[in-house]
């Protein structure tokens, strides 16, 4: 899995990056990829993947997030997508623990002190698994009624360092899973 951490510019997330081949179209990365970037989040209704959010007319917004766009071509299966998403969320909780942050994972979301730190969605295209994870860099511009927290409020001020460290951790976890899947034989 190729990792790209975009540090030189902000990229806003509107939901369209969940489409297949986004990393290839925008950065020339062909194949399994993880692109980490920072920017606003404002998912338009037509880009919402989660039907529950759509039915409840939920707003998905933040003024400042760290975004992870993951694309995997090995197995196109929604159960695999959801499982990989939760593995990555659990890994991000481990990375946050290295910063002294105590997290609680509820499904595919991360909470700290009862406040929401992340958003996430997993889906499939005809050719790949797509996952978006967003972590609040700062809890600003969040929809009314959502108690949120951000990295800044947690004392993590080197956001670029966090992007680099967490991106590497996710890629290492994926590569370990892939390697482990290749070294076993069938049970007979």
């Amino acid at each position: 899995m190729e990792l790209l951490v975009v540090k030189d510019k902000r990229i806003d997330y509107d939901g369209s990056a969940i489409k297949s081949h986004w990393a290839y179209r925008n950065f020339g990365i062909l194949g399994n990829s993880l692109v980490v970037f920072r920017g606003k989040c404002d998912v338009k209704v037509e880009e919402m993947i989660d039907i529950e959010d759509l039915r409840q007319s939920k707003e998905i917004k933040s003024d400042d997030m760290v975004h992870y766009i993951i694309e995997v071509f090995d197995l196109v299966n929604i159960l695999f997508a959801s499982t990989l998403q939760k593995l990555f969320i659990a890994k991000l909780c481990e990375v946050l623990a290295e910063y002294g942050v105590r997290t609680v994972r509820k499904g595919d979301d991360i909470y700290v002190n009862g406040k929401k730190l992340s958003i996430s969605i997993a889906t499939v295209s005809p050719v790949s698994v797509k996952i978006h994870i967003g972590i609040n860099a700062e809890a600003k511009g969040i929809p009314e009624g959502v108690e949120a927290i951000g990295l800044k409020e947690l004392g993590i001020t080197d956001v670029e360092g966090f992007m680099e460290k967490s991106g590497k951790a996710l890629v290492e976890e994926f590569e370990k899973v892939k390697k482990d899947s290749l070294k076993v034989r069938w049970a007979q």
Side-chain angles (χ1 to χ4, degrees):
M1 175 177 284
E2 187 170 340
L3 171 65
L4 173 64
V5 179
V6 180
K7 296 179 184 177
D8 58 341
K9 65 179 178 176
R10 298 260 177 142
I11 302 170
D12 294 337
Y13 178 78
D14 63 2
S16 61
I18 204 76
K19 295 176 181 166
S20 61
H21 295 291
W22 178 82
Y24 187 41
R25 284 193 314 269
N26 289 277
F27 303 103
I29 301 171
L30 182 60
N32 296 341
S33 63
L34 168 58
V35 179
V36 185
F37 58 94
R38 186 174 178 180
K40 290 182 179 183
C41 177
D42 188 3
V43 180
K44 304 298 179 203
V45 172
E46 60 272 12
E47 298 292 349
M48 281 194 187
I49 300 295
D50 190 322
I51 297 168
E52 190 70 26
D53 289 345
L54 193 58
R55 289 184 50 143
Q56 294 176 12
S57 299
K58 282 189 178 177
E59 283 186 295
I60 303 173
K61 297 174 86 165
S62 176
D63 285 350
D64 191 6
M65 291 191 113
V66 173
H67 300 278
Y68 304 81
I69 300 294
I70 299 126
E71 186 163 26
V72 176
F73 293 89
D74 297 295
L75 175 65
V76 181
N77 175 290
I78 193 64
L79 181 59
F80 172 66
S82 183
T83 303
L84 190 59
Q85 171 196 31
K86 286 162 184 61
L87 173 67
F88 284 156
I89 291 293
K91 190 64 183 178
L92 286 168
C93 288
E94 289 178 11
V95 172
L96 287 160
E98 294 175 21
Y99 286 86
V101 177
R102 187 175 162 90
T103 60
V104 173
R105 181 179 70 85
K106 293 181 184 175
D108 53 22
D109 291 318
I110 302 170
Y111 289 81
V112 178
N113 300 324
K115 296 179 179 178
K116 193 169 183 182
L117 178 64
S118 70
I119 60 171
S120 183
I121 192 67
T123 191
V124 294
S125 77
V127 296
S128 64
V129 159
K130 289 295 303 230
I131 301 168
H132 168 254
I133 300 169
I135 293 182
N136 290 316
E138 189 172 358
K140 286 189 173 179
I142 308 296
E144 214 172 295
V146 176
E147 267 199 85
I149 196 164
L151 297 173
K152 181 179 179 183
E153 292 87 354
L154 296 171
I156 302 173
T157 56
D158 180 10
V159 176
E160 286 187 357
F162 178 81
M163 291 166 60
E164 190 77 40
K165 182 175 187 166
S166 58
K168 285 180 181 175
L170 294 182
V171 168
E172 286 171 8
E173 189 75 6
F174 178 81
E175 294 300 336
K176 184 175 183 333
V177 167
K178 191 166 182 178
K179 180 182 176 188
D180 288 350
S181 74
L182 297 173
K183 68 179 187 175
V184 295
R185 64 178 183 85
W186 283 26
Q188 297 178 17

